[in-house]
Amino acid sequence: MSKAAVAEPARSATSRSQHGFRIGDWIPRSVNIWVRTMFLPVGYPDSVHSCYTAVHKWQFVETFLGSMVSVLCSEAMLESLGVGTAAAAGGAVAIQWMLKDGFGEIGKLLFIHYSAKSFDSHPKSWKMVGEAACLLGSTTQLSTILAPGYLFLPLASLGYCLRSIHFSIWNATHMTFTRNFANSGNVGDIVAKDDSQMSLAHLCGMVAGVSTLAISHSPWFLFASFFTLAPVHYYCTYKLVNAIQFEVFNEAKLGLVTREYVKSGQVMTMLEIQPKEIMFGEWANPKELIPKIVMTRPISKVPWLTFSHSHSLCPFTHALPVGWSLQGERYLLGFSARDQSVAVVLHIDAEADDILKAYLHAMKYHAEWSHRKPDMDNARHLEILAETYEWMGSNFDTFRTELDIKGWNCDVVFFMDSGHRAEWERRPDICANQGCAGSE
């Protein structure tokens, strides 16, 4: 056996103790290997983020309690329908059961339509909302046992809708979490191992739930059990969300970091930024007064300034003849004096670095505008846009390097993406001399 083969187990054992996971020496080695293969990502703990273990411990308990609650809800709805009695004869029970699922799915679709764009940028906040929806839906489903008959369908449908919303949020947010856990690009492996961990938690939860029902089937016992489990369930969710600490940018973090860099030339670390945040680090403290930067506005709604005397041109075309704004960049800026916001239009090919450039440029532009606004006109706005673009070009490489040094993950930037992108010819010689047509 090679020296490398002998040294590897010792390294893994040390890593396990550092990450809080250690299987007792009394467990046979074959069992140890089976457990790791079944429930832990390949290369654990080095192949995952440092907060993986803490998060998944709470996730296991949360899933266990959620399964117990599901058993209680199913029992309440079945009791409400009178399953097992003569009243349940025929297909009436099956029809009502399917209808409540159908109405619930419709409600879930409406929710996704209006909310999905912020799942990536605010996964922790949505995770808390999702679990609250789950518990509220469970309460509604439990209530069917107190109001059997004609109230079953509306109560059960509302409960299923809320719980379906929870499942949608869960799937979306946990995919975001998983991408950030995957230090080695091992997303598929982490998803599979998450599934195995949750299957075990579900099985344990169902056994515990059925054992609880063996004590009593009375409505008051079901409610007492539920209101004992629900606060513990939500507490586990809170601890899980607090344990998640990813060095990735959302709009709040990027706004705070770029504002500080424009002000002092320094890049803050994740620890330095935390006192300026609220709500699990996904929102900036209102006291910080971060300038309003709106990402991916539709071109038709961007308040471009009139840089041309030809008012027959569309607003988008007004901005394009400005050569400095298109010298190889994949973004454009627009400004609204009414609400003092800077709007960003991204090119269809824009990547993470382009978003960082756009945010840094927009923050510098807003800072300069704030200092000079009393005597501003369109011509002066154009000068400031050119000056701040030059500043961004001179400072971006340093800014980007400092982000890496301070431990930020710049591979992706999460924001409330409405999906609007634009496409324009990015050749500076054409744009500077004759303008370019743009289209969404």
Side-chain angles (χ1 to χ4, degrees):
M1 182 178 293
S2 67
K3 292 182 180 180
V6 174
E8 179 61 24
R11 183 195 61 77
S12 298
T14 302
S15 298
R16 286 199 299 273
S17 63
Q18 290 174 349
H19 285 74
F21 180 87
R22 189 182 182 88
I23 297 178
D25 295 335
W26 55 272
I27 297 179
R29 184 172 181 272
S30 59
V31 176
N32 186 341
I33 293 174
W34 183 86
V35 170
R36 291 178 64 86
T37 303
M38 177 64 71
F39 297 108
L40 296 175
V42 174
Y44 172 89
D46 300 320
S47 62
V48 294
H49 194 276
S50 58
C51 67
Y52 177 92
T53 303
V55 171
H56 284 73
K57 285 179 180 178
W58 289 112
Q59 180 176 289
F60 186 91
V61 180
E62 177 195 63
T63 304
F64 170 82
L65 295 173
S67 293
M68 288 189 68
V69 168
S70 293
V71 171
L72 299 180
C73 292
S74 297
E75 173 64 19
M77 288 189 290
L78 291 172
E79 290 281 349
S80 176
L81 285 171
V83 172
T85 67
V93 170
I95 291 172
Q96 290 197 73
W97 195 268
M98 288 186 291
L99 283 175
K100 60 95 175 171
D101 289 359
F103 290 135
E105 292 293 339
I106 292 172
K108 181 185 74 173
L109 291 174
L110 294 173
F111 171 80
I112 291 173
H113 174 72
Y114 289 105
S115 305
K117 66 180 181 180
S118 59
F119 285 170
D120 282 325
S121 59
H122 298 82
K124 293 196 258 184
S125 300
W126 277 117
K127 169 68 175 172
M128 296 298 294
V129 171
E131 295 304 322
C134 177
L135 294 177
L136 182 58
S138 298
T139 305
T140 307
Q141 290 181 334
L142 278 172
S143 299
T144 59
I145 199 172
L146 301 178
Y150 68 92
L151 286 179
F152 171 82
L153 188 56
L155 288 175
S157 297
L158 177 59
Y160 184 83
C161 176
L162 290 169
R163 298 192 73 184
S164 294
I165 288 172
H166 159 253
F167 289 132
S168 294
I169 293 174
W170 193 96
N171 287 329
T173 57
H174 278 256
M175 183 54 66
T176 299
F177 298 153
T178 300
R179 286 200 302 265
N180 292 315
F181 281 132
N183 284 351
S184 306
N186 52 336
V187 174
D189 183 42
I190 292 178
V191 170
K193 299 307 169 58
D194 274 9
D195 197 26
S196 64
Q197 294 169 18
M198 294 185 64
S199 293
L200 178 61
H202 276 306
L203 288 171
C204 295
M206 286 190 291
V207 171
V210 172
S211 301
T212 301
L213 291 179
I215 300 173
S216 174
H217 289 250
S218 71
W220 303 114
F221 179 78
L222 294 178
F223 273 96
S225 299
F226 171 75
F227 284 113
T228 300
L229 295 172
V232 182
H233 178 122
Y234 208 63
Y235 175 76
C236 290
T237 300
Y238 174 78
K239 295 293 289 184
L240 183 158
V241 168
N242 270 337
I244 296 173
Q245 297 294 335
F246 297 130
E247 299 80 7
V248 294
F249 281 120
N250 59 13
E251 288 183 272
K253 286 182 170 59
L254 188 54
L256 289 166
V257 168
T258 53
R259 186 193 64 171
E260 181 62 26
Y261 188 81
V262 167
K263 180 180 178 180
S264 65
Q266 302 296 318
V267 171
M268 293 189 294
T269 65
M270 190 168 178
L271 288 177
E272 291 171 339
I273 210 174
Q274 286 177 357
K276 302 177 182 294
E277 298 174 317
I278 58 174
M279 293 291 290
F280 314 110
E282 293 183 342
W283 306 86
N285 191 319
K287 296 180 181 179
E288 295 298 322
L289 301 176
I290 302 297
K292 184 179 180 181
I293 298 175
V294 183
M295 300 293 293
T296 64
R297 275 259 185 97
I299 292 175
S300 59
K301 296 183 179 180
V302 173
W304 298 106
L305 296 167
T306 303
F307 296 143
S308 169
H309 295 295
S310 174
H311 296 285
S312 61
L313 297 175
C314 68
F316 188 59
T317 309
H318 291 166
L320 293 179
V322 184
W324 55 265
S325 68
L326 292 174
Q327 291 178 10
E329 304 301 345
R330 297 188 179 96
Y331 71 89
L332 294 171
L333 300 183
F335 182 76
S336 171
R338 180 177 56 82
D339 61 357
Q340 300 181 20
S341 66
V342 181
V344 177
V345 171
L346 294 178
H347 191 273
I348 194 171
D349 297 326
E351 299 176 350
D353 272 7
D354 301 304
I355 298 173
L356 293 175
K357 285 182 178 181
Y359 231 92
L360 184 63
H361 186 185
M363 194 64 68
K364 179 65 174 178
Y365 173 81
H366 194 283
E368 292 299 319
W369 176 87
S370 298
H371 293 151
R372 311 182 194 186
K373 59 183 178 182
D375 58 347
M376 293 285 280
D377 55 23
N378 280 359
R380 189 63 184 131
H381 271 294
L382 177 57
E383 292 177 19
I384 292 178
L385 284 167
E387 291 170 4
T388 53
Y389 177 75
E390 183 178 355
W391 177 90
M392 187 279 297
S394 300
N395 287 271
F396 181 75
D397 287 343
T398 303
F399 174 68
R400 184 65 172 78
T401 301
E402 283 295 311
L403 291 177
D404 289 334
I405 293 173
K406 296 297 177 66
W408 290 102
N409 179 358
C410 301
D411 294 336
V412 63
V413 178
F414 296 113
F415 57 93
M416 295 179 66
D417 193 350
S418 58
H420 296 285
R421 296 293 189 276
E423 186 172 6
W424 62 85
E425 175 60 59
R426 293 173 51 239
R427 291 173 57 189
D429 56 331
I430 294 178
C431 294
N433 295 323
Q434 63 187 42
C436 307
S439 63
E440 285 190 78

